[in-house]
Structure formats: C-alpha cells, structure tokens
Amino acid sequence: MQIRELSIPDAYEMTPKQHADDRGVFLEWYRFDQLEQAVGHALDLRQANLSVSRRGVVRGIHFASVPRGQAKYVTAVHGAVLDYTIDLRIGSPTYGEWDSVLLDDVDRRSVYLSEGLGHAFVALTADAVVTYLVSDTFNPEREHGISPLDLDINLVFPADLESRSLSPKDIEAPSLQEAAAAALLPSWDECRSFYDSLRTKD
C-alpha cells in the first residue's frame, strides 16, 4: 500500500496494491499498521458507515467537535466519487483550503482524515457506494456542517456534472465565516494536542 499526505496536513491518500487474475481482483483496502506508521497512532475504530448516492449528489461538508472529533477512513467500493478534505482548524497553515482525491472501483484508493478536518464528496456515477470507518459513534450534538457551496471555501465540482443534489441540512449549513463566528470550528492547537494524546495513549 502506498501512502501519501495530502496538501492538507493530517490527511492521507492510500493506494492499495491490487492482485488480478482470471478470477478477479484481491487487495488490502485497510491496514491498521501501515496507517498507524503514517499517522502516528492507530485508528480507534468505533463505527462503520455506508452511503449509496446517485450521480450529482453532494454530501458534506461534515465534521465533529474536538475533542473527541471523528477521524474517517473513506473508500468507494462501487462507482466513483470526488472526495474533498477541507481544513476547518482555525490557526492551521492551510485553514479554509481543501484537497481532493478520486475514489473509485478502479484504483480503489482510500482517504484518511484526522479529527477536526471537514469531509465532503460528490458522486460521479449512479449508485456510488462509499464506506467510512470512523473513530467515534455518531453524536448529533457534536456533529456540524459547513455549506459545500460556500464561496470562501470554493469547492470545485466537475464541469461535466449536469446537476448537483444536496440535502436540506447541507443547503442550510452555515458558511465558514458563520461557523467560526459561532465558535463551532476546532482550533489548530486543540487538534494538535488531541493528536498528541492519541500518540501517547498508544
């Protein structure tokens, strides 16, 4: 498995080695030890999620309060999505910036996002199936969103998408500036401190 850090600190792309023959394909899509070596601590897996989205569906931008936050290991097991990592940590050198990775059932890449980072994706195919391994269970009181259409973040969606479909919750989510003013966003320092605590625990 090849691992590279994205332009957003504490987010990583994993590209597995695939073994194909006349029967099909085999690969390791998650290796806790290799992820731990890259990140500095193990993923404390507490919940697994799956979503199915039609072409043009946008999900996100979602994040959870830190601590404890919710780290995510995201994979598209069917179809394709363009997956976005957004830095929402106030004080981060890349605050407000984003990076993207194509997740599909061809290269079968995955993305790991540390706690405090925002996550979104847009489905590029019909019935795009995305799985998420996450470090904490869902807690509605600590879950937050930023509008994926916020002009300050300015996510770039593929030009060939005929339309985009968002949930009412994501449409009504605050902008980055509004979330910062409402003290919803994590800080760079508190996230770094939390990451250090995870390394110490290991």
Side-chain angles (χ1 to χ4, degrees), residues 60 111 183:
V111 170

Side-chain angles (χ1 to χ4, degrees), residues 12-146:
Y12 299 84
E13 172 197 88
M14 277 65 64
T15 303
K17 182 176 181 180
Q18 302 188 55
H19 305 274
D21 58 26
D22 57 358
R23 300 170 300 163
V25 177
F26 175 85
L27 65 139
E28 297 175 343
W29 65 274
Y30 171 68
R31 279 283 301 267
F32 87 96
D33 53 341
Q34 294 185 23
L35 180 65
E36 180 178 3
Q37 185 175 7
V39 175
H41 61 82
L43 172 61
D44 184 7
L45 178 59
R46 297 191 175 192
Q47 184 171 311
N49 305 325
L50 183 147
S51 66
V52 181
S53 304
R54 62 178 174 80
R55 177 176 166 85
V57 165
V58 179
R59 297 184 185 268
I61 303 168
H62 300 148
F63 68 101
S65 298
V66 178
R68 128 165 219 113
Q70 193 180 66
K72 298 177 180 179
Y73 190 96
V74 186
T75 307
V77 296
H78 178 74
V81 303
L82 188 60
D83 194 86
Y84 302 90
T85 298
I86 304 94
D87 197 340
L88 306 177
R89 301 166 297 184
I90 294 175
S92 166
T94 55
Y95 172 70
E97 298 179 16
W98 56 271
D99 201 350
S100 63
V101 174
L102 175 65
L103 303 181
D104 60 22
D105 55 12
V106 178
D107 295 319
R108 296 183 168 88
R109 294 186 178 94
S110 300
V111 170
Y112 173 82
L113 304 85
S114 294
E115 295 85 350
L117 295 174
H119 178 249
F121 71 77
V122 58
L124 305 180
T125 59
D127 296 329
V129 180
V130 175
T131 64
Y132 322 68
L133 305 179
V134 296
S135 64
D136 202 7
T137 56
F138 176 74
N139 183 339
E141 295 180 358
R142 300 182 64 78
E143 295 286 332
H144 309 290
I146 302 291

